[in-house]
Amino acid sequence: MSTFPEPFATTVFTATSHHPYIIPEKHKDRFKEGTLPIHKCVAYTDMSVRRFFETASSMPWYQNTLFVICADHTNITEIPEYGTEAGRFMVPIMFYKPDGSLKHTMSGTMQQIDIMPTVLGILEYDRPYVAFGNDLTKIS
């Protein structure tokens, strides 16, 4: 990403926590087994994201970047709330700016379709656009 002219937009699809929950051979003994087969794979994913941010934080574009982190769907769980009809569709969505300018926490409902208009709201984009979702910066 450091070779891209600024401003730029990019998408990164990171490690995956899908069955059969395989992690790279060189890391297979690094993480403990959990109570579910997915736990070791999630630990690997956490490490991968942590390493990405460690590297990104040293880049010149980092402080001026909006990061959007979102899961595409849920997976197996031991938490009863996530085993319900509604819970099976609950995924975290996070917006992060290293400069600390985003301070709002929302615990209500947001959909993945709301990401694009919300990004445009955070960026204070002032031109017309078409979106099926909502800009959640405009919802109190």
Side-chain angles (χ1 to χ4, degrees), residues 8 10 23 30 43 47 54-55 57 69 72 92-93 99 102 104 108 113 120-121 126 131:
F8 65 86
T10 186
I23 61 174
R30 182 179 185 142
M47 180 205 68
E54 287 169 357
T55 300
S57 68
I69 300 173
D72 60 341
I93 300 174
D99 68 5
L102 296 179
H104 184 74
I113 200 166
L120 294 177
D126 62 356

Side-chain angles (χ1 to χ4, degrees), residues 50-81:
R50 186 179 317 105
R51 284 187 174 177
F52 168 79
F53 275 96
E54 287 169 357
T55 300
S57 68
S58 68
M59 300 298 163
W61 45 261
Y62 179 74
Q63 286 297 325
N64 194 33
T65 299
L66 170 63
F67 294 93
V68 181
I69 300 173
C70 178
D72 60 341
H73 59 79
T74 61
N75 211 308
I76 58 175
T77 181
E78 295 173 319
I79 302 170
E81 175 184 4

Side-chain angles (χ1 to χ4, degrees), residues 2-3 7-8 21 23 35-36 58 69 75 81 87 94-95 99 101 110 117 120-121 130 136:
S2 292
T3 63
F8 65 86
Y21 313 116
I23 61 174
T35 55
L36 292 174
S58 68
I69 300 173
N75 211 308
E81 175 184 4
M94 183 179 88
F95 299 89
D99 68 5
S101 62
M110 177 182 189
L120 294 177
V130 175
L136 299 181

